[in-house]
Structures are given as structure tokens and as C-alpha cells.
Amino acid sequence: MCSGRVDPTIILEAFLSKADGVFVGACRRGECHYVTGNLQAEGKVNLTKKVLSYIGLHPERLVMEWMSSGEGGRFVECVTSFQEEIRKLGPLGKGEGIGTEELQLKLTAAQRVMEGKKLRWVVSKRLEFKEKGNLYGEVFTEHEISRLFDEVVMDELTLQEILLRLRMEPLSAKTLSGMINIAPSRILRHLADMKRMGLVSVSTEDDGRSPVWKAV
Amino acid sequence: MARLVDEMEELRIGVFVCHCGTNIAGFLDPREVAEYAGTLPDVVFVKENLFSCSQSGVTEIQNAIKENQLNRVVVAACTPRTHEPTFRAACEDAGLNPFFFEFVNIREHCSWVHKGMAEEATHKAKDLVRMGVARARYLEPREPIVADVEPAALVIGGGVSGLTAALSLANRGIEVKLVEREEELGGMLRRIFRLYPSNIDAREFIARQVEAVEGHPRIEVFTCSTVEGLQGYIGNYRATISSQGVNKREVHVGVIIVATGAAQLDLGEVYGYDGKRVITLIELEERLRNGELGAKNVVMIKCVGARVPERLYCSRICCMTSIKNAILIKEKDPEARVHILYRDLMCYGVDNEALLRKAKESGVRFINYSLERPPIMENGRVRVHSDILGKEIGINADLVVLVTPMVSQDGVEELSRLLKVPLDGDRFFLEAHVKLRPLDFATDGIYVCGTAHWPASVSESIEQALGATARASTYLINKRVTVEPIFSMLLDEDLCRGCGLCASLCPYAAIEMVQTEKGIKAQMIAVACKGCGTCGASCYRRAIKMNHYTDEQLIAQVRAAFSG
Ligand SMILES: Cc1cc2nc3c(=O)[nH]c(=O)nc-3n(C[C@H](O)[C@H](O)[C@H](O)COP(=O)(O)OP(=O)(O)OC[C@H]3O[C@@H](n4cnc5c(N)ncnc54)[C@H](O)[C@@H]3O)c2cc1C
């Protein structure tokens, strides 16, 4: 098994199981036993870090280090500093001031996002986009790819979080906006999209002022 | 044939905790670990062994499997690197599929690294055992894959490397298809005069090899030809050879050897190159062969275009080539003055050092210069700042030889794409591992030798060609390839949308997109798969299952890690 096997959803599974930190060790760049698996892992880890920070967790809780199997000393250094760093951050959620239930919901949303087509596709194609360009031969810089990720991650996360919250109870866009901390106009745009996808419906218990949304 | 446990059969897990003498038992409490293991779900048998890997330990495990109808075996001991085969074999001999064995390392991962912390180490060993048991619950039986190997080889490139490889394989009874894009076989050696260090005639030497190849009943030579298409995997490649750009033929081979050589860097008109008074190394070889040097004062400038920012590597053969030719000039005309302007000297090995000494004794002058102050050409003179003398000197020159490095062959990108094997930053073919697998590509069944891989001398090229054929012969002679059944597979054809992401990520070309009745689907080639799992970690449809490292197994292990 290679670090290329590290699936972001499994990293999130660890956090959902109450891990305070996750450490991914991979072969050094250019020395991957499985050719390019380590670079794939790097992309996935970086993306997962982004997702962690979007849901309000310290991205430093996820660490990736490069080393060969012959570098015992380096392994010890990396694990020790990882351990110290996590100790400083404190228990997951507590260190960030997020309550248990809220944390579970956010992590579940994050796991769904990492399960989704868009991100899995983009993160895997990252290297190709950088080296060979996309279908149209446009080559992307790391910065552009990162911006692309930002947009997709934000959108996908919001969508999943809305869905999870609506599954628990019908809510108005305004309430959702308060809970997720995103402008009502953006929430509404998402809701409209989600309605088109058949994920949500506007509830009939309309009080006349702000409509209430429900998961389908 | 090992017993396959029925899906409906109840789980009966046996856990064996090894003391490893005092290696484990000296630093943690195996009894406590074993007792704990007995409390885990579906664990029906627990035993401590003094040495699980000893004959008596293995017998204890086998008896326990039989007496307690165990269908999963977890051994908490040392490392799979040394002992996984032992325990897998033990399971198999006791009638249990070897893939129902799970190894937990409580020595390297625990007792050895937590000496003097017995309590914590015992606690961690329990965690590790709990994780192992959790994964064992999801283990599945597997059978090794055996595939046939077509006892034939495709050799690409007909220089000394390709010729050597072809002869070596054919002499072992293997059918060889040798593809050379030029009209004639022989490669670079056709253009060289004498070979260092032996001083034999390169053309005579290569002509003998060409003759042997052309007359060999098991070698078919395709000149003016290239490989245009390739499909398949180790043991079973189908290559399309195109001759003169028109005749196409498909050949069926088990392995491929890449021996496409290298070229000499052509920098055009640097240092006033004119092909007459300023020439290249290859042009010097030609003049020496024809016996018409036409100069009394020869200056060779080394590292022209080598070890510069755009080409950092040392081409390794140029120092000796210059020295070889300098000696030849002096032997023919002791009055001639030969200067070699160098940055460093690469004269490795006893024979080469002897030649360097000989050159110095016969009066060849060596002058050291630095990258920052390259030699300057003047009418009939070369000016150079000698780093050793610390001053500039002028040398009369009626012939200047530019010694440029070997660079990658034309057309390597195409070939690399076709064979799906990588190139390095300098566009030489990149081996699987610089030390452990220097002649293999990461993709099984494809090998590299000679200057296609890196600048090398003739003897190095021959050694590599023989090495590559030895590697390939393991499969060709057995006519079979056996692969660990740890490969990815399509879990559910209906889930696959045929997007091709997995195929584009696979570093081993082990996934093909094929047209099926249900549309385009991924097809895994089990024998070519190395089990890295990148495809499984990337598929957004979860249509790919990575055998023996399945999502269920990994998730169970992760959850168990934190459930203690
Ligand atoms: C000027 C010079 C002097 C040298 N002197 C010495 C010396 O004295 N002693 C020594 O030990 N070494 C010497 N060498 C090094 C020596 O030339 C190499 O070690 C040797 O040629 C390597 O052989 P090869 O078969 O790997 O490659 P090559 O000899 O380059 O042969 C490769 C063959 O592959 C063919 N080919 C390329 N691409 C394709 C393709 N896509 N399809 C089909 N065919 C293809 C080429 O046409 C060529 O025939 C010298 C090199 C140079 C440049």
C-alpha cells in the first residue's frame, strides 16, 4: 500500500473517530516506491487541510512528511514534533471552541464533500493540469489551482452543510445563514441550485415572510 | 488448495502474542495484551508464544487453527518484512487461506521503541492488537494470480546494448524482434574509431556483433523501423512495428527492452565551430580513422555545454574519449602538441586511470579552467585562465575539438508515451529505483539499458544489457509470472461511469478503458497492478476496490484505533 491509497474520506474518518491529529508519512519526492503515489497523496492532504480550516479546525492537525524507510532518525523527529504540535492545539474541537455536535456535523459535511465527484476529480487531475494542461491545453499554476479549489471546496461544503442541517429540521434561509455564517444571498443561491437538483424543497408551512426549506 | 471461508460462516479469530524471547516480553506485558485480546469481538482463541516464528510456535498456530476452526489468524509479533511469508505459509498448511492472516507489529512499532515505558507500551500494544483484529474481521480470501508469458522479446534500438541484449536472449532460446530505426545496425559505435580502454577498433567490434545478430535463427531484425503501437502488459504485449513508414506488423512478446541510446549534443556555432578547424568529438573520431588529422596543435575543450545551468549532469564518457584520442594523436605523431582544457576529470576505474597516466607521460597537457572563465578563441590561438597557475595562458591551435556531452535521443518523448514509462529531467529514461531496480522500469516487463538510460561506456552498456536480459529471463524462462493478489478491481461495473480518471492516474498502465455492452468501463489488468491503491483513493464513484486494503478494512482499523 502506498500513500497514494490515502483517501481524504479516511482521514476525516479518523477525525470523526476523535483523533486529535493525523500524520501521513510518504516517500520523498521523486523517490516514491509507487512512482507518483506520494504526489497524489500530497494533493489530497493539502485539500483536506483546506477543508479542515473551512470548517473551523486547525489545519495543522493534519501533517504530511516525506521520508525514506531508511530514515529512522527523521521519522522520530517528525513524529515528535507532530506530537508536540497536536498537544499544543489541544483536543479536537475543544482547541477550536467548537461543540461536539457541531463538530460532528461539520466533519460529516466535510467527509461528504471529499466523497463527491468534483473534488475527487479536481484533486486527482491537479498534477496533470499543472504539467500537461487541461483538455484545451491550458496549463494552470499552483496558485490558480489553489483558487479553483477554494471555490469548489467552499461551495461543496456549504451545500453539504445546508443539506445536513435541513435533514434535522426545516429552516429558513436566514436561520441557515446565521448558523453557517454565510451571507443570506449566497445561501439562497445555493438553495435555488439545490432545488433544481431535487435535493431540497420550499416548505408549505410558509409564514408569509420567509419561506422555510426542507430536505427532500 | 486452501479453504475459502464462506461469507456466512461465523468469524472465529485466533490471536497469538509473541514474546520474541525478551525482545517483546522484556519491555511490555504480553500476558496483559493476550488477556485483552480475548475480550475483543469474535476472538475465540488466544495464545502466547515464546517465539511465534519458531517451529514450535508455528505448530502451535497450526494446531489451534485446526482444533478451534479458526478462520482468521492475528499474530502480534514483529515485521512482515521478515516473517509475513512464514505465517502465511503456516496458515496455508493448516488449510486456511493465507490472506486470512493479519500481522500486528508490537516489536519494531512498540517494544523496541518504548523501552523503559512498560505500562504505556503495553497499552499501545493493546491498541495495535485491537486494530489488527478489527481489520482481520474484513479480510477476504485471495489466490495468487498466475499469467502466461510469451517467450519472446522486443528489443528497441540496435546499438551495442540492443545487439547484446538480443544475442543474450536468443542464445537462451528466446525469440527476439529487434527494431532499429536507421538503415544499419550498430548505433553510435559505427561512428567511433577506437574504443577506450581496450583500444580495439569500434567498427570491427560492432560489425562482429551485427553479423552474429543477423545470422541468428531466433532474431528477426527490422531496420528502418519503429514501434508505433503497443498494447498489453507483462507476458503479453502486442507491438506494432512499422517499417519504412508503410509496412505494419504486429508482434506478440512477453517483455520489452529499451536500448535506444543517446546522441551527442550539437551546439551549432559555439566557439566558432566550422567543421574544419573547430570540430566536434565525432568529427575527430572520423579524421583519426581516415588518418588525416591535418593539425600539429590540437586543443580539446571539455564540458562544452555540459555541467552548465541548463544541463547539470556529467556525461561521464567524454573525459576518457578525449584522453583516448589524445593518446592516438601522440602515438601517430609524437611531435604533435595536444592540450586538454578541462573542468574536472572523470577517469574512474583502474584501466581509465592507467590511460590518464599514459596520456600525461606521452606529453598531453592538461589545463584546468572554471565555468566562470571559459576559454576564449582567437585567431589561431586559444586563451584560457588556468585555475592552477592562477593566470591566463595562450595556446597555439590549428585544430580545436569541442567535447560536448551525450544528450537524450531524439524521439524519446514519443517512446515514453507509447510504453508509458517515465523520463527524467534530462529526458533520459528513468529506472524504477536507482539502487534496487536500476534496469527495470516501474512497469513490470519493460527494461532499459545502455545510453538510453544515462551516458555510459561500451562495457557499462554491455553489462546493463546483460543485466536487463537476466531480469527479463526470470519471466521468459519460467514462461509464467506470479503476482501477489493485492490488486485493485472494479467492484461494480454499473458504478463505473467510464470517466477514465483511474486509468490516467495509474503509474503502471494497469487500467484500460474498454468498450463494453454497458458503455465505456475501466478494466483492471491484475498482473500489471502493483497494488498502490491510488485509483481506489480517487474514484468518485467508489467503484474500485483495492484488494487486501479495502475501504472497510482501513476504516475498521481507523475506528478501532480510537475506540479503546
Ligand atoms: C564520440 C564518442 C566516443 C565514444 N567513445 C567511446 C569509447 O572509446 N569507449 C567506450 O566505452 N564508449 C565510448 N562512447 C560511448 C558509446 O558510444 C556508448 O556506450 C554506446 O554507443 C552505447 O550503446 P547503445 O546501444 O546504448 O546506444 P547507441 O549506440 O546510441 O545505439 C542506439 C540505437 O538505437 C536506435 N534508436 C534510437 N531511437 C530509436 C527508436 N525510437 N526506434 C528504433 N531504434 C532507435 C539508434 O538508431 C541506434 O542505432 C563514445 C561515445 C561518443 C559519443
Side-chain angles (χ1 to χ4, degrees), chain A residues 171-196:
Chain A
L171 295 164
S172 73
K174 209 166 145 212
T175 325
L176 275 169
S177 152
M179 284 172 144
I180 306 182
N181 208 1
I182 283 178
S185 59
R186 285 204 42 202
I187 294 280
L188 266 175
R189 218 180 317 133
H190 275 291
L191 285 167
D193 282 348
M194 289 163 76
K195 190 165 167 233
R196 224 173 299 126

Side-chain angles (χ1 to χ4, degrees), chain A residues 20-23 49 57-65 76-92 95-96:
Chain A
D20 297 317
V22 173
F23 181 96
K49 278 167 162 288
L57 294 174
H58 293 299
E60 299 82 17
R61 291 191 183 277
L62 173 57
V63 166
M64 176 158 176
E65 296 283 4
V76 171
E77 272 167 35
C78 292
V79 171
T80 309
S81 78
F82 166 69
Q83 199 268 143
E84 281 163 5
E85 177 74 15
I86 301 300
R87 205 169 279 285
K88 259 189 254 152
L89 295 176
L92 185 74
E96 286 90 350

Side-chain angles (χ1 to χ4, degrees), chain A residues 28-89:
Chain A
R28 285 179 176 276
R29 281 194 182 84
E31 293 176 11
C32 180
H33 187 68
Y34 293 92
V35 193
T36 48
N38 58 348
L39 303 181
Q40 291 296 338
E42 183 186 29
K44 287 176 172 139
V45 166
N46 286 342
L47 180 63
T48 312
K49 278 167 162 288
K50 240 184 225 291
V51 172
L52 289 180
S53 73
Y54 280 133
I55 62 174
L57 294 174
H58 293 299
E60 299 82 17
R61 291 191 183 277
L62 173 57
V63 166
M64 176 158 176
E65 296 283 4
W66 314 84
M67 63 197 70
S68 89
S69 58
E71 293 177 301
R74 177 165 163 75
F75 178 73
V76 171
E77 272 167 35
C78 292
V79 171
T80 309
S81 78
F82 166 69
Q83 199 268 143
E84 281 163 5
E85 177 74 15
I86 301 300
R87 205 169 279 285
K88 259 189 254 152
L89 295 176

